[in-house]
Amino acid sequence: MNTSVSRLASLIAIAAVAACAQVDRISAPVGSQKKASTASGTGAVLLFPTFANAESTPGAVPAPAGLRACFAGEGNALDVVSGNVGVKSGAGGYVPGRFGQAFNFDSIEDGVAVPPSASLDVGVGAGVTMSAWILARGTVFQDTTLNGFPIIHGAGPIVEFDGGAQLWHHSQQNSDEALFTNMIGPSSENWNILTQQLGLPYAPLAWHHTAVTYDKASGWISLYIDGAPRITANFGSFSPRTSQVFRIGKRGVQIVGGEAFSFNGAIDEVQLYERALTDSEIAQLAAAAGTMCVPPPTSFQVSQMPVSSGESGVPFAIQPSVEILDANGDV
């Protein structure tokens, strides 16, 4: 059982022990309390703690606050947080990922397109964080240049809104590898570009964590690789365009250089946040030992009731057990 789930079960067991006697029924929303009837007729109160960071997937770790979408690539293009469903094109399928499976992109036709939704339109809020694990292969699908610079190792979109905010893996400078972001907004003509050479110890054919953040209040855009900030610049306050189709691995709308840009490699754990995560939170994503792409917990149920009677101050012979459920009723 996940540590946070175990802690919740322990707290409820302790609360049940503190209740003095005959418990007819335990059923209450999280964070509430319910009186339990007793042999003496007095009311004992069972306190139910909140479980904001509890997770229901073995090995999962809690995500920072503000996660609006998470695509794990577990054999599908489902956003397990908000229920958005993408459509995967091409025959690339799925491969072993950073955690579980990952999206595989091995031809120029491969990509994932997610229809627009309010849950994905994070640009209207306080900020944006786009994050993903990538494994880039050492070849490209297109023999071309972009603004006179070569397109190198696995070049293509990691994530991108059509004509909007984007995070790419490619070079716009004379270097082997680079991360690139264009936080387009508020109109399609407003380009806010930041690019950074990766350098050693970065290498293709290995998993690396990538992220970009934008904080509307301060105006700062930052690029991260493997949990470390690599470059940051101030672009002022604006609203990045995030109301369009959201894409993973492949460009869908021509901006420059044509539409034929597709990442060559694997992409895992695509996350979208409604705020700019801090340096320490990005480091937390890069250091995670398990997936953060799990449905949020929404309720719990008591799966094992305690004995029918008891004495105040004496632990139940059989302790109550709880199960945490997501919105689909899955444990």
Side-chain angles (χ1 to χ4, degrees):
M1 182 181 288
N2 183 272
T3 301
S4 55
V5 178
S6 300
R7 183 161 53 250
L8 173 62
S10 299
L11 288 173
I12 292 183
I14 293 170
V17 171
C20 39
Q22 180 181 339
V23 179
D24 296 328
R25 183 167 165 268
I26 303 176
S27 176
V30 172
S32 70
Q33 58 187 24
K34 183 176 180 67
K35 286 190 176 181
S37 61
T38 69
S40 62
T42 60
V45 176
L46 301 184
L47 298 178
F48 293 85
T50 59
F51 55 94
N53 288 327
E55 301 293 353
S56 58
T57 299
V61 297
L67 181 63
R68 291 284 292 273
C70 200
F71 298 85
E74 295 299 322
N76 57 55
L78 172 67
D79 160 24
V80 301
V81 172
S82 297
N84 298 289
V85 180
V87 177
K88 193 173 187 310
S89 59
Y94 302 87
V95 294
R98 180 65 180 85
F99 305 112
Q101 290 182 297
F103 297 108
N104 182 41
F105 306 97
D106 59 9
S107 77
I108 203 166
E109 287 78 27
D110 288 343
V112 174
V114 187
S117 76
S119 59
L120 298 175
D121 191 13
V122 294
V124 297
V128 176
T129 296
M130 297 190 291
S131 162
W133 285 90
I134 67 169
L135 185 152
R137 301 188 179 108
T139 58
V140 294
F141 300 134
Q142 58 273 31
D143 181 15
T144 185
T145 61
L146 181 60
N147 295 342
F149 295 106
I151 305 295
I152 309 179
H153 291 314
I158 299 171
V159 292
E160 175 174 298
F161 288 91
D162 282 354
Q166 56 194 253
L167 175 64
W168 274 53
H169 177 262
H170 80 89
S171 175
Q172 275 202 334
Q173 47 187 297
N174 292 320
S175 64
D176 252 1
E177 304 284 347
L179 280 185
F180 165 89
T181 187
N182 188 356
M183 282 285 175
I184 298 176
S187 75
S188 59
E189 289 75 36
N190 299 124
W191 289 16
N192 303 285
I193 293 174
L194 198 59
T195 185
Q196 173 63 36
Q197 179 180 348
L198 297 179
L200 297 175
Y202 177 86
L205 301 178
W207 284 104
H208 296 277
H209 184 262
T210 62
V212 59
T213 64
Y214 169 66
D215 181 66
K216 189 178 294 185
S218 66
W220 288 97
I221 297 176
S222 300
L223 279 171
Y224 297 80
I225 182 72
D226 292 332
R230 296 298 298 270
I231 188 172
T232 186
N234 195 290
F235 291 84
S237 181
F238 64 95
S239 294
R241 288 165 56 86
T242 55
S243 62
Q244 303 79 21
V245 174
F246 180 66
R247 299 184 186 271
I248 303 171
K250 180 175 174 59
R251 165 157 286 179
V253 174
Q254 180 172 346
I255 297 178
V256 65
E259 299 178 16
F261 287 108
S262 184
F263 178 81
N264 183 3
I267 299 177
D268 200 5
E269 295 278 306
V270 175
Q271 298 183 350
L272 184 65
Y273 291 82
E274 61 186 355
R275 65 183 180 91
L277 298 189
T278 64
D279 287 357
S280 61
E281 287 172 325
I282 296 293
Q284 174 188 343
L285 301 190
T291 181
M292 293 180 181
C293 282
V294 294
T298 59
S299 63
F300 74 87
Q301 65 185 11
V302 178
S303 57
Q304 176 176 279
M305 296 297 293
V307 293
S308 60
S309 63
E311 181 180 349
S312 178
V314 178
F316 289 122
I318 298 176
Q319 294 291 335
S321 297
V322 299
E323 294 176 334
I324 295 175
L325 310 176
D326 61 23
N328 296 320
D330 296 325
V331 176

